[in-house]
Amino acid sequence: MLDLILLIPGYWLFQYFGWPRLLPKSLTISVTSRCNSRCKTCRIYESRSEPLTVAEYEKVFRSLGSILTWVTMSGGEPFLREDLPDICGALYRHCRPAVITIPTNGLLNDRIPSAVQAIAASCPAARIIVNLSLDGIGAEHDEIRGVPGCYEKALSTYQALKGVQRDGAANLSIGIHTVISKFNVSEIPRISGDLISLQPDSYITEIAEQRVELKTLDLDITPGAAEYRRAINGVIAEVRRHRFKGLGRVVQSFRAEYYDHVADLLLGKPSRWPCHAGFASAQIMPDGEVWACCIKGNSLGNLRREAYDFKRIWLSDQAEQVRRAIKEDGCRCPLANAAYTNILLHPPTMARVTLRALASLRNGTL
């Protein structure tokens, strides 16, 4: 984290003056678009691409070097790739990120625990955060996710991951993640309370949104401002009652700021911070396409066409055009992954997060 703090002035200069042109600190890597869920809030399973191989990822990670702090290994369902531990191992060897986050629907309860155990062992100095996606309790979750028995399989995966943690994976954190959509927004306070009672290391929510990546641009899935505010107030109340520990409290402090940001956007208010996507954060799609973010999906270039040299793409004229558009348009969106970076690079917001985290550590509340 210290290296990121030291680079913050450099990213400000990069965004406003175009120099120094730093590589991103936060990266989302979509390792596959395949998914074994059929969610009402996502149609990524309709995407078709030839994903990068482990050997190709080795070349990409070598070109990035050790600049990365936070990496999300996403999908689709990332654990559909049996070689996910090998990809994470290659990432760790070349890039040494401090945090690797992996979201999962938990359906592969016979594969996920052993894969996570292997990832935690091969990335010993990284914090491995596995976020299990649960949008309801029992049948209501199955209905939203489009798979009968999904909830029970996810719970089986969750309990097995807790066993991996108890058996010595000290660098493993297990979180629960809920997408707040039109399909569950009225029940979120109850849902969040029931899920938090499972004792995860962290509990986070994200709003269902329109993304190029998820093929949801024409779906009516985002709740209204008033119903979202009621729902998220319920989440915050449940989080306060639970009193998360350690990293979980820090995550909740960041998340509380993100929730206020989303509520403001739904009311049509301006963004709380400038967007640093394409400057301090980026996304690699399964086929090697590099995007500034997954909301607009504007390409900076393709790694396969550029000899797997991330730096060459990042410093290209095409990337500069995308960055210029982000800066001029004043992008505003509820993308959670980008929000973490944007918060870190925005002093007023970061000050609020720090004060909230300190208060939480002192008295055990959010």
Side-chain angles (χ1 to χ4, degrees):
M1 188 61 70
L2 179 60
D3 63 330
L4 175 57
I5 293 172
L6 294 174
L7 283 174
I8 286 175
Y11 282 111
W12 293 340
L13 292 170
F14 184 13
Q15 179 135 10
Y16 293 104
F17 300 104
W19 184 92
R21 294 193 292 178
L22 301 171
L23 290 174
K25 292 296 289 180
S26 174
L27 190 63
T28 297
I29 303 173
S30 295
V31 296
T32 182
S33 58
R34 292 189 299 135
C35 192
N36 47 358
S37 291
R38 293 295 180 266
C39 303
K40 291 183 176 181
T41 56
C42 177
R43 296 189 302 209
I44 197 170
Y45 55 84
E46 295 179 358
S47 301
R48 297 291 182 271
S49 62
E50 184 63 34
L52 297 176
T53 65
V54 176
E56 289 176 305
Y57 277 120
E58 287 268 5
K59 296 174 184 177
V60 174
F61 298 151
R62 191 178 296 118
S63 75
L64 273 162
S66 59
I67 186 71
L68 296 173
T69 297
W70 190 299
V71 177
T72 298
M73 301 300 249
S74 186
E77 170 52 47
F79 287 100
L80 280 171
R81 290 200 60 157
E82 294 188 40
D83 58 1
L84 182 63
D86 299 323
I87 297 171
C88 291
L91 169 71
Y92 185 78
R93 284 194 302 276
H94 295 292
C95 302
R96 286 292 195 275
V99 179
I100 300 174
T101 300
I102 311 173
T104 177
N105 58 30
L107 279 171
L108 298 172
N109 53 341
D110 59 341
R111 179 189 302 177
I112 293 172
S114 60
V116 170
Q117 188 173 35
I119 292 167
S122 65
C123 309
R127 170 59 55 180
I128 309 300
I129 304 174
V130 178
N131 279 324
L132 201 71
S133 296
L134 292 171
D135 295 341
I137 307 300
E140 63 187 350
H141 173 71
D142 295 356
E143 173 67 19
I144 293 172
R145 292 281 168 160
V147 179
C150 179
Y151 184 76
E152 290 304 320
K153 286 187 176 180
L155 280 190
S156 172
T157 298
Y158 177 79
Q159 296 301 336
L161 288 174
K162 282 291 189 180
V164 171
Q165 194 178 49
R166 287 193 299 270
D167 289 343
N171 60 332
L172 174 62
S173 293
I174 306 160
I176 294 178
H177 170 276
T178 298
V179 176
I180 300 178
S181 69
K182 283 194 167 183
F183 309 111
N184 64 0
V185 63
S186 64
E187 298 298 322
I188 285 297
R190 171 184 58 81
I191 291 168
S192 63
D194 287 351
L195 294 177
I196 289 173
S197 72
L198 295 173
Q199 303 292 311
D201 296 314
S202 64
Y203 177 76
I204 60 176
T205 73
E206 190 168 352
I207 193 166
E209 58 189 317
Q210 295 179 316
R211 294 189 196 177
V212 170
E213 176 195 26
L214 304 182
K215 295 183 176 291
T216 56
L217 294 181
D218 61 340
L219 294 185
D220 182 21
I221 56 178
T222 306
E227 54 188 355
Y228 175 79
R229 185 74 264 183
R230 285 193 296 271
I232 209 62
N233 284 346
V235 170
I236 292 172
E238 292 297 335
V239 167
R240 282 176 174 159
R241 275 193 284 272
H242 179 74
R243 298 188 177 186
F244 286 95
K245 299 177 181 179
L247 179 63
R249 286 187 184 172
V250 176
V251 169
Q252 300 308 323
S253 298
F254 272 86
R255 217 68 188 189
E257 194 67 37
Y258 162 76
Y259 297 150
D260 288 340
H261 166 72
V262 174
D264 283 353
L265 294 184
L266 291 175
L267 289 170
K269 295 181 180 180
S271 176
R272 291 183 161 221
W273 46 68
C275 180
H276 295 277
F279 295 90
S281 62
Q283 179 153 347
I284 297 177
M285 298 304 291
D287 61 356
E289 207 72 28
V290 179
W291 289 356
C293 77
C294 63
I295 300 295
K296 292 189 173 181
N298 294 329
S299 176
L300 282 61
N302 188 282
L303 289 159
R304 281 178 168 142
R305 290 197 297 269
E306 299 296 340
Y308 308 100
D309 189 338
F310 187 95
K311 187 180 294 186
R312 184 188 300 177
I313 291 174
W314 194 248
L315 302 180
S316 68
D317 291 340
Q318 186 172 336
E320 287 302 312
Q321 291 174 10
V322 173
R323 279 193 278 268
R324 192 177 306 117
I326 291 171
K327 181 180 175 182
E328 293 174 355
D329 291 350
C331 288
R332 50 191 297 280
C333 79
L335 181 61
N337 272 3
Y340 280 122
T341 309
N342 292 337
I343 289 170
L344 282 165
L345 293 174
H346 191 241
T349 307
M350 191 59 203
R352 287 195 299 272
V353 169
T354 302
L355 290 174
R356 182 181 277 120
L358 290 174
S360 172
L361 292 170
R362 184 171 57 252
N363 57 34
T365 63
L366 181 62

